[in-house]
Amino acid sequence: MGQGDATALAAGDGTAVVVDAGPDPEPVDRCLRDLGVTRVPLVLLTHFHADHVAGLPGVLRGRSVGQIQTTGLLDPPGQAAFVHRTAAAARVPVVPAALGERRRAGPLDWQVLWPAPATGFVPEGANDASVTLLVRTRSGVTLLLLGDLEPPSQRGLSRAHPALPRVDVLKVAHHGSAHQDPELLGRARPRLALVSVGRDNPYGHPSPRTLDALREAGAAVLRTDRHGAVAVTGSGRDLRAVARHPP
Ligand SMILES: [Zn+2]
């Protein structure tokens, strides 16, 4: 199986904000159908690697989609062109996510924390330019979605946001690769850590060292290669992750 990443943030009433679309249109379409999602006010594509954007046609299929937001670094150019072409065919506007931008959709609000050109940080590659969101639900659940950020940008993120709070849910960067900044993990100290990772992927993701560090920081770790699709429900003491394929 390949590798990929897609997250649906429920915004109530058949509506969801979708962050990344995975590597293939079928699974993300099926997932959104299972969730009853027919309206997507925003698709946020963290960066242009195929494992995050190639599933876009599956998100658009049969749904009313308001807008697509992307990172400003059009790398790799072929995938960036694919996104713009696919969006144009569906008449969905594509705009870059702006640092600091805050938005709402139903019970969700979120802020764009990265990339931060103001800090003078120049991304070395697509991963480091991942759009990073801090999301808060009306019931008070916080989520930090890191895309595929590598340690240089994870450190930049920590520095750019000294008040970054502890979060309930962390979408672990880069499919749980070995390259994680301990300071950012120490700041986020999530209760639930979600690792979106392909079974038998050729990259050795997730790294056992990363999984250990997450658990040591107090997180329960859910990984899609073992658990299948993972849903996070509830809030406060009732926050829990529900796996489609419990181990
Ligand atoms: Zn990726």
Side-chain angles (χ1 to χ4, degrees):
M1 251 170 105
Q3 176 100 302
D5 202 338
T7 303
L9 301 166
D13 201 20
T15 302
V17 171
V18 175
V19 180
D20 285 333
D24 178 351
E26 303 310 326
V28 69
D29 181 25
R30 199 180 324 124
C31 173
L32 294 174
R33 216 175 323 128
D34 288 350
L35 295 170
V37 173
T38 55
R39 282 188 301 276
V40 178
L42 177 69
V43 181
L44 189 131
L45 300 173
T46 60
H47 63 298
F48 287 105
H49 280 155
D51 58 321
H52 298 253
V53 305
L56 179 61
V59 179
L60 299 175
R61 192 176 293 158
R63 294 184 183 88
S64 151
V65 175
Q67 193 178 60
I68 296 169
Q69 271 193 315
T70 69
T71 188
L73 184 70
L74 304 182
D75 175 43
Q79 291 302 321
F82 163 79
V83 166
H84 285 88
R85 205 165 55 234
T86 304
R91 298 173 187 271
V92 177
V94 181
V95 297
L99 176 67
E101 170 178 1
R102 284 177 184 273
R103 290 203 186 194
R104 313 182 66 89
L108 305 172
D109 73 75
W110 64 92
Q111 188 181 5
V112 175
L113 301 186
W114 192 262
T119 61
F121 179 85
V122 179
E124 282 173 26
N127 285 348
D128 274 328
S130 292
V131 177
T132 296
L133 299 185
L134 179 63
V135 183
R136 189 180 301 270
T137 72
R138 192 175 288 150
S139 52
V141 177
T142 51
L143 306 93
L144 182 61
L145 308 179
L146 295 176
D148 278 358
L149 288 188
E150 302 284 352
S153 45
Q154 293 177 16
R155 282 191 288 277
L157 177 72
S158 286
R159 253 171 243 144
H161 301 281
L164 188 71
R166 186 178 182 187
V167 296
D168 296 306
V169 181
L170 178 70
K171 202 298 291 178
V172 179
H174 201 188
H175 319 285
S177 90
H179 307 293
Q180 308 289 337
D181 176 49
E183 188 192 328
L184 181 59
L185 181 56
R187 297 271 302 280
R189 283 188 300 135
R191 296 164 66 191
L192 297 175
L194 309 182
V195 179
S196 186
V197 63
R199 196 177 302 145
D200 300 327
N201 69 78
Y203 312 101
H205 296 158
S207 148
R209 193 172 73 198
T210 294
L211 299 177
D212 286 347
L214 290 164
R215 293 190 187 108
E216 275 161 28
V221 179
L222 284 294
R223 44 192 286 190
T224 57
D225 58 342
R226 300 235 176 121
H227 299 108
V230 175
V232 174
T233 65
S235 61
R237 296 171 67 170
D238 295 324
L239 183 76
R240 53 179 50 89
V242 182
R244 173 169 287 172
H245 304 298

mmCIF file of all heavy atoms in Angstrom, residues 104-143:
data_model
loop_
_atom_site.group_PDB
_atom_site.id
_atom_site.type_symbol
_atom_site.label_atom_id
_atom_site.label_comp_id
_atom_site.label_asym_id
_atom_site.label_seq_id
_atom_site.Cartn_x
_atom_site.Cartn_y
_atom_site.Cartn_z
ATOM 1 N N ARG A 104 -13.518 30.480 10.286
ATOM 2 C CA ARG A 104 -14.496 29.676 11.014
ATOM 3 C C ARG A 104 -15.331 28.892 10.026
ATOM 4 O O ARG A 104 -15.532 29.325 8.897
ATOM 5 C CB ARG A 104 -15.490 30.550 11.789
ATOM 6 C CG ARG A 104 -14.954 31.662 12.602
ATOM 7 C CD ARG A 104 -16.102 32.355 13.322
ATOM 8 N NE ARG A 104 -16.692 31.457 14.285
ATOM 9 C CZ ARG A 104 -16.279 31.351 15.559
ATOM 10 N NH1 ARG A 104 -15.328 32.102 16.012
ATOM 11 N NH2 ARG A 104 -16.842 30.500 16.364
ATOM 12 N N ALA A 105 -15.848 27.767 10.479
ATOM 13 C CA ALA A 105 -16.869 27.023 9.744
ATOM 14 C C ALA A 105 -17.683 26.290 10.790
ATOM 15 O O ALA A 105 -17.157 25.419 11.480
ATOM 16 C CB ALA A 105 -16.248 26.039 8.761
ATOM 17 N N GLY A 106 -18.944 26.693 10.948
ATOM 18 C CA GLY A 106 -19.788 26.065 11.967
ATOM 19 C C GLY A 106 -19.095 26.095 13.319
ATOM 20 O O GLY A 106 -18.687 27.157 13.797
ATOM 21 N N PRO A 107 -18.906 24.921 13.935
ATOM 22 C CA PRO A 107 -18.326 24.876 15.283
ATOM 23 C C PRO A 107 -16.806 24.948 15.298
ATOM 24 O O PRO A 107 -16.199 24.842 16.362
ATOM 25 C CB PRO A 107 -18.799 23.516 15.801
ATOM 26 C CG PRO A 107 -18.890 22.671 14.564
ATOM 27 C CD PRO A 107 -19.306 23.587 13.447
ATOM 28 N N LEU A 108 -16.184 25.098 14.143
ATOM 29 C CA LEU A 108 -14.720 25.089 14.070
ATOM 30 C C LEU A 108 -14.173 26.491 13.897
ATOM 31 O O LEU A 108 -14.756 27.297 13.174
ATOM 32 C CB LEU A 108 -14.244 24.289 12.844
ATOM 33 C CG LEU A 108 -14.716 22.857 12.675
ATOM 34 C CD1 LEU A 108 -14.285 22.348 11.302
ATOM 35 C CD2 LEU A 108 -14.132 21.981 13.774
ATOM 36 N N ASP A 109 -13.056 26.781 14.543
ATOM 37 C CA ASP A 109 -12.271 27.907 14.067
ATOM 38 C C ASP A 109 -10.813 27.519 14.074
ATOM 39 O O ASP A 109 -10.406 26.603 14.793
ATOM 40 C CB ASP A 109 -12.560 29.207 14.837
ATOM 41 C CG ASP A 109 -11.992 29.201 16.211
ATOM 42 O OD1 ASP A 109 -10.766 29.359 16.338
ATOM 43 O OD2 ASP A 109 -12.769 29.045 17.175
ATOM 44 N N TRP A 110 -10.055 28.152 13.218
ATOM 45 C CA TRP A 110 -8.665 27.749 13.084
ATOM 46 C C TRP A 110 -7.820 28.924 12.645
ATOM 47 O O TRP A 110 -8.321 29.926 12.140
ATOM 48 C CB TRP A 110 -8.503 26.586 12.102
ATOM 49 C CG TRP A 110 -8.879 26.892 10.700
ATOM 50 C CD1 TRP A 110 -8.076 27.341 9.696
ATOM 51 C CD2 TRP A 110 -10.186 26.759 10.118
ATOM 52 N NE1 TRP A 110 -8.780 27.491 8.540
ATOM 53 C CE2 TRP A 110 -10.079 27.144 8.766
ATOM 54 C CE3 TRP A 110 -11.443 26.355 10.605
ATOM 55 C CZ2 TRP A 110 -11.178 27.138 7.902
ATOM 56 C CZ3 TRP A 110 -12.526 26.352 9.742
ATOM 57 C CH2 TRP A 110 -12.381 26.730 8.417
ATOM 58 N N GLN A 111 -6.523 28.741 12.878
ATOM 59 C CA GLN A 111 -5.551 29.761 12.534
ATOM 60 C C GLN A 111 -4.414 29.103 11.757
ATOM 61 O O GLN A 111 -4.010 27.977 12.071
ATOM 62 C CB GLN A 111 -5.010 30.398 13.811
ATOM 63 C CG GLN A 111 -4.142 31.608 13.546
ATOM 64 C CD GLN A 111 -3.598 32.219 14.824
ATOM 65 O OE1 GLN A 111 -3.801 31.683 15.916
ATOM 66 N NE2 GLN A 111 -2.897 33.316 14.690
ATOM 67 N N VAL A 112 -3.909 29.817 10.763
ATOM 68 C CA VAL A 112 -2.765 29.337 9.991
ATOM 69 C C VAL A 112 -1.492 29.775 10.716
ATOM 70 O O VAL A 112 -1.232 30.964 10.886
ATOM 71 C CB VAL A 112 -2.784 29.927 8.557
ATOM 72 C CG1 VAL A 112 -1.520 29.531 7.794
ATOM 73 C CG2 VAL A 112 -4.033 29.468 7.803
ATOM 74 N N LEU A 113 -0.694 28.786 11.170
ATOM 75 C CA LEU A 113 0.522 29.076 11.952
ATOM 76 C C LEU A 113 1.794 29.061 11.119
ATOM 77 O O LEU A 113 2.845 29.517 11.571
ATOM 78 C CB LEU A 113 0.691 28.035 13.066
ATOM 79 C CG LEU A 113 -0.410 27.874 14.100
ATOM 80 C CD1 LEU A 113 0.041 26.901 15.171
ATOM 81 C CD2 LEU A 113 -0.789 29.210 14.714
ATOM 82 N N TRP A 114 1.724 28.504 9.939
ATOM 83 C CA TRP A 114 2.921 28.270 9.136
ATOM 84 C C TRP A 114 2.503 28.048 7.706
ATOM 85 O O TRP A 114 1.387 27.571 7.527
ATOM 86 C CB TRP A 114 3.670 27.031 9.697
ATOM 87 C CG TRP A 114 5.049 26.850 9.163
ATOM 88 C CD1 TRP A 114 5.429 26.012 8.143
ATOM 89 C CD2 TRP A 114 6.234 27.522 9.601
ATOM 90 N NE1 TRP A 114 6.779 26.119 7.938
ATOM 91 C CE2 TRP A 114 7.288 27.037 8.817
ATOM 92 C CE3 TRP A 114 6.482 28.492 10.585
ATOM 93 C CZ2 TRP A 114 8.587 27.490 8.975
ATOM 94 C CZ3 TRP A 114 7.768 28.937 10.750
ATOM 95 C CH2 TRP A 114 8.818 28.431 9.953
ATOM 96 N N PRO A 115 3.320 28.331 6.695
ATOM 97 C CA PRO A 115 4.689 28.857 6.745
ATOM 98 C C PRO A 115 4.736 30.339 7.091
ATOM 99 O O PRO A 115 3.767 31.054 6.843
ATOM 100 C CB PRO A 115 5.237 28.610 5.340
ATOM 101 C CG PRO A 115 4.057 28.323 4.473
ATOM 102 C CD PRO A 115 2.902 27.969 5.344
ATOM 103 N N ALA A 116 5.863 30.739 7.667
ATOM 104 C CA ALA A 116 6.007 32.078 8.218
ATOM 105 C C ALA A 116 7.147 32.829 7.555
ATOM 106 O O ALA A 116 8.244 32.888 8.093
ATOM 107 C CB ALA A 116 6.247 31.989 9.719
ATOM 108 N N PRO A 117 6.911 33.401 6.378
ATOM 109 C CA PRO A 117 7.986 34.127 5.709
ATOM 110 C C PRO A 117 8.517 35.287 6.552
ATOM 111 O O PRO A 117 9.683 35.664 6.433
ATOM 112 C CB PRO A 117 7.341 34.641 4.415
ATOM 113 C CG PRO A 117 5.874 34.498 4.615
ATOM 114 C CD PRO A 117 5.649 33.458 5.646
ATOM 115 N N ALA A 118 7.663 35.798 7.472
ATOM 116 C CA ALA A 118 8.082 36.940 8.288
ATOM 117 C C ALA A 118 9.285 36.607 9.175
ATOM 118 O O ALA A 118 10.035 37.481 9.578
ATOM 119 C CB ALA A 118 6.921 37.414 9.160
ATOM 120 N N THR A 119 9.471 35.310 9.477
ATOM 121 C CA THR A 119 10.597 34.936 10.331
ATOM 122 C C THR A 119 11.887 34.825 9.532
ATOM 123 O O THR A 119 12.945 34.530 10.091
ATOM 124 C CB THR A 119 10.345 33.566 11.000
ATOM 125 O OG1 THR A 119 10.204 32.583 9.964
ATOM 126 C CG2 THR A 119 9.103 33.575 11.858
ATOM 127 N N GLY A 120 11.800 35.024 8.223
ATOM 128 C CA GLY A 120 12.986 34.907 7.393
ATOM 129 C C GLY A 120 13.299 33.479 7.022
ATOM 130 O O GLY A 120 14.296 33.191 6.373
ATOM 131 N N PHE A 121 12.416 32.551 7.420
ATOM 132 C CA PHE A 121 12.644 31.143 7.129
ATOM 133 C C PHE A 121 12.320 30.873 5.667
ATOM 134 O O PHE A 121 11.250 31.214 5.188
ATOM 135 C CB PHE A 121 11.761 30.281 8.021
ATOM 136 C CG PHE A 121 11.908 28.808 7.771
ATOM 137 C CD1 PHE A 121 12.908 28.096 8.399
ATOM 138 C CD2 PHE A 121 11.062 28.151 6.896
ATOM 139 C CE1 PHE A 121 13.051 26.739 8.161
ATOM 140 C CE2 PHE A 121 11.206 26.797 6.662
ATOM 141 C CZ PHE A 121 12.200 26.095 7.292
ATOM 142 N N VAL A 122 13.272 30.284 4.967
ATOM 143 C CA VAL A 122 13.029 29.923 3.569
ATOM 144 C C VAL A 122 12.907 28.401 3.500
ATOM 145 O O VAL A 122 13.853 27.685 3.832
ATOM 146 C CB VAL A 122 14.179 30.404 2.662
ATOM 147 C CG1 VAL A 122 13.917 29.989 1.223
ATOM 148 C CG2 VAL A 122 14.357 31.906 2.772
ATOM 149 N N PRO A 123 11.737 27.888 3.106
ATOM 150 C CA PRO A 123 11.583 26.435 3.072
ATOM 151 C C PRO A 123 12.562 25.800 2.091
ATOM 152 O O PRO A 123 12.762 26.306 0.993
ATOM 153 C CB PRO A 123 10.138 26.227 2.633
ATOM 154 C CG PRO A 123 9.672 27.525 2.091
ATOM 155 C CD PRO A 123 10.533 28.593 2.676
ATOM 156 N N GLU A 124 13.176 24.697 2.519
ATOM 157 C CA GLU A 124 14.127 24.017 1.646
ATOM 158 C C GLU A 124 13.414 23.083 0.685
ATOM 159 O O GLU A 124 13.970 22.665 -0.317
ATOM 160 C CB GLU A 124 15.120 23.220 2.488
ATOM 161 C CG GLU A 124 16.189 24.102 3.089
ATOM 162 C CD GLU A 124 17.076 23.337 4.057
ATOM 163 O OE1 GLU A 124 17.195 22.105 3.906
ATOM 164 O OE2 GLU A 124 17.628 23.984 4.950
ATOM 165 N N GLY A 125 12.205 22.728 1.016
ATOM 166 C CA GLY A 125 11.468 21.823 0.145
ATOM 167 C C GLY A 125 10.001 21.878 0.482
ATOM 168 O O GLY A 125 9.584 22.602 1.393
ATOM 169 N N ALA A 126 9.235 21.093 -0.261
ATOM 170 C CA ALA A 126 7.785 21.132 -0.123
ATOM 171 C C ALA A 126 7.348 20.832 1.315
ATOM 172 O O ALA A 126 6.446 21.487 1.844
ATOM 173 C CB ALA A 126 7.161 20.137 -1.090
ATOM 174 N N ASN A 127 7.980 19.836 1.965
ATOM 175 C CA ASN A 127 7.532 19.466 3.312
ATOM 176 C C ASN A 127 7.590 20.649 4.274
ATOM 177 O O ASN A 127 6.678 20.864 5.074
ATOM 178 C CB ASN A 127 8.404 18.334 3.873
ATOM 179 C CG ASN A 127 8.088 16.985 3.239
ATOM 180 O OD1 ASN A 127 7.081 16.840 2.550
ATOM 181 N ND2 ASN A 127 8.947 16.015 3.466
ATOM 182 N N ASP A 128 8.698 21.386 4.187
ATOM 183 C CA ASP A 128 8.885 22.505 5.118
ATOM 184 C C ASP A 128 7.928 23.663 4.862
ATOM 185 O O ASP A 128 7.815 24.561 5.685
ATOM 186 C CB ASP A 128 10.330 22.998 5.066
ATOM 187 C CG ASP A 128 11.228 22.203 6.015
ATOM 188 O OD1 ASP A 128 10.719 21.769 7.058
ATOM 189 O OD2 ASP A 128 12.414 22.028 5.704
ATOM 190 N N ALA A 129 7.281 23.639 3.705
ATOM 191 C CA ALA A 129 6.314 24.690 3.394
ATOM 192 C C ALA A 129 4.891 24.265 3.731
ATOM 193 O O ALA A 129 3.926 24.937 3.371
ATOM 194 C CB ALA A 129 6.408 25.061 1.914
ATOM 195 N N SER A 130 4.739 23.136 4.456
ATOM 196 C CA SER A 130 3.395 22.644 4.791
ATOM 197 C C SER A 130 2.608 23.700 5.569
ATOM 198 O O SER A 130 3.097 24.230 6.577
ATOM 199 C CB SER A 130 3.478 21.389 5.659
ATOM 200 O OG SER A 130 4.007 20.293 4.957
ATOM 201 N N VAL A 131 1.391 23.938 5.127
ATOM 202 C CA VAL A 131 0.498 24.823 5.882
ATOM 203 C C VAL A 131 0.119 24.106 7.180
ATOM 204 O O VAL A 131 -0.296 22.946 7.167
ATOM 205 C CB VAL A 131 -0.776 25.152 5.080
ATOM 206 C CG1 VAL A 131 -1.722 26.020 5.903
ATOM 207 C CG2 VAL A 131 -0.420 25.834 3.770
ATOM 208 N N THR A 132 0.304 24.783 8.278
ATOM 209 C CA THR A 132 0.051 24.208 9.602
ATOM 210 C C THR A 132 -1.119 24.933 10.243
ATOM 211 O O THR A 132 -1.152 26.164 10.255
ATOM 212 C CB THR A 132 1.319 24.353 10.466
ATOM 213 O OG1 THR A 132 2.349 23.587 9.862
ATOM 214 C CG2 THR A 132 1.086 23.868 11.879
ATOM 215 N N LEU A 133 -2.062 24.156 10.758
ATOM 216 C CA LEU A 133 -3.270 24.736 11.354
ATOM 217 C C LEU A 133 -3.383 24.379 12.826
ATOM 218 O O LEU A 133 -3.113 23.245 13.224
ATOM 219 C CB LEU A 133 -4.534 24.183 10.669
ATOM 220 C CG LEU A 133 -4.743 24.424 9.190
ATOM 221 C CD1 LEU A 133 -6.118 23.880 8.785
ATOM 222 C CD2 LEU A 133 -4.622 25.896 8.845
ATOM 223 N N LEU A 134 -3.809 25.369 13.606
ATOM 224 C CA LEU A 134 -4.259 25.122 14.975
ATOM 225 C C LEU A 134 -5.776 25.289 14.959
ATOM 226 O O LEU A 134 -6.281 26.367 14.651
ATOM 227 C CB LEU A 134 -3.622 26.121 15.940
ATOM 228 C CG LEU A 134 -4.039 25.985 17.404
ATOM 229 C CD1 LEU A 134 -3.625 24.632 17.987
ATOM 230 C CD2 LEU A 134 -3.443 27.119 18.239
ATOM 231 N N VAL A 135 -6.479 24.192 15.249
ATOM 232 C CA VAL A 135 -7.934 24.162 15.127
ATOM 233 C C VAL A 135 -8.534 24.060 16.522
ATOM 234 O O VAL A 135 -7.983 23.370 17.398
ATOM 235 C CB VAL A 135 -8.384 22.928 14.299
ATOM 236 C CG1 VAL A 135 -9.904 22.925 14.109
ATOM 237 C CG2 VAL A 135 -7.665 22.883 12.957
ATOM 238 N N ARG A 136 -9.643 24.751 16.724
ATOM 239 C CA ARG A 136 -10.360 24.637 17.991
ATOM 240 C C ARG A 136 -11.834 24.387 17.679
ATOM 241 O O ARG A 136 -12.407 25.045 16.810
ATOM 242 C CB ARG A 136 -10.209 25.929 18.795
ATOM 243 C CG ARG A 136 -10.724 25.857 20.236
ATOM 244 C CD ARG A 136 -10.515 27.198 20.927
ATOM 245 N NE ARG A 136 -9.105 27.568 20.937
ATOM 246 C CZ ARG A 136 -8.258 27.243 21.918
ATOM 247 N NH1 ARG A 136 -8.679 26.567 22.968
ATOM 248 N NH2 ARG A 136 -6.997 27.619 21.853
ATOM 249 N N THR A 137 -12.418 23.421 18.359
ATOM 250 C CA THR A 137 -13.846 23.173 18.164
ATOM 251 C C THR A 137 -14.635 23.918 19.232
ATOM 252 O O THR A 137 -14.079 24.316 20.266
ATOM 253 C CB THR A 137 -14.188 21.669 18.262
ATOM 254 O OG1 THR A 137 -14.071 21.261 19.630
ATOM 255 C CG2 THR A 137 -13.243 20.834 17.387
ATOM 256 N N ARG A 138 -15.932 24.064 18.986
ATOM 257 C CA ARG A 138 -16.774 24.784 19.946
ATOM 258 C C ARG A 138 -16.762 24.097 21.306
ATOM 259 O O ARG A 138 -16.884 24.751 22.344
ATOM 260 C CB ARG A 138 -18.204 24.878 19.401
ATOM 261 C CG ARG A 138 -19.085 25.838 20.159
ATOM 262 C CD ARG A 138 -20.437 25.972 19.503
ATOM 263 N NE ARG A 138 -20.373 26.722 18.267
ATOM 264 C CZ ARG A 138 -21.192 26.541 17.228
ATOM 265 N NH1 ARG A 138 -22.116 25.611 17.277
ATOM 266 N NH2 ARG A 138 -21.065 27.277 16.154
ATOM 267 N N SER A 139 -16.580 22.781 21.305
ATOM 268 C CA SER A 139 -16.537 22.077 22.597
ATOM 269 C C SER A 139 -15.143 22.111 23.227
ATOM 270 O O SER A 139 -14.906 21.456 24.236
ATOM 271 C CB SER A 139 -17.031 20.639 22.435
ATOM 272 O OG SER A 139 -16.341 20.008 21.389
ATOM 273 N N GLY A 140 -14.233 22.875 22.612
ATOM 274 C CA GLY A 140 -12.956 23.140 23.271
ATOM 275 C C GLY A 140 -11.830 22.187 22.905
ATOM 276 O O GLY A 140 -10.750 22.259 23.488
ATOM 277 N N VAL A 141 -12.060 21.286 21.948
ATOM 278 C CA VAL A 141 -10.995 20.368 21.531
ATOM 279 C C VAL A 141 -10.030 21.128 20.613
ATOM 280 O O VAL A 141 -10.455 21.839 19.700
ATOM 281 C CB VAL A 141 -11.581 19.146 20.779
ATOM 282 C CG1 VAL A 141 -10.461 18.237 20.272
ATOM 283 C CG2 VAL A 141 -12.538 18.380 21.684
ATOM 284 N N THR A 142 -8.733 20.979 20.888
ATOM 285 C CA THR A 142 -7.731 21.639 20.052
ATOM 286 C C THR A 142 -6.948 20.595 19.259
ATOM 287 O O THR A 142 -6.643 19.508 19.769
ATOM 288 C CB THR A 142 -6.753 22.465 20.898
ATOM 289 O OG1 THR A 142 -6.248 21.646 21.958
ATOM 290 C CG2 THR A 142 -7.427 23.683 21.479
ATOM 291 N N LEU A 143 -6.642 20.944 18.028
ATOM 292 C CA LEU A 143 -5.901 20.047 17.146
ATOM 293 C C LEU A 143 -4.797 20.829 16.464
ATOM 294 O O LEU A 143 -5.011 21.954 16.008
ATOM 295 C CB LEU A 143 -6.801 19.459 16.050
ATOM 296 C CG LEU A 143 -8.094 18.737 16.453
ATOM 297 C CD1 LEU A 143 -9.268 19.711 16.446
ATOM 298 C CD2 LEU A 143 -8.370 17.589 15.493
#
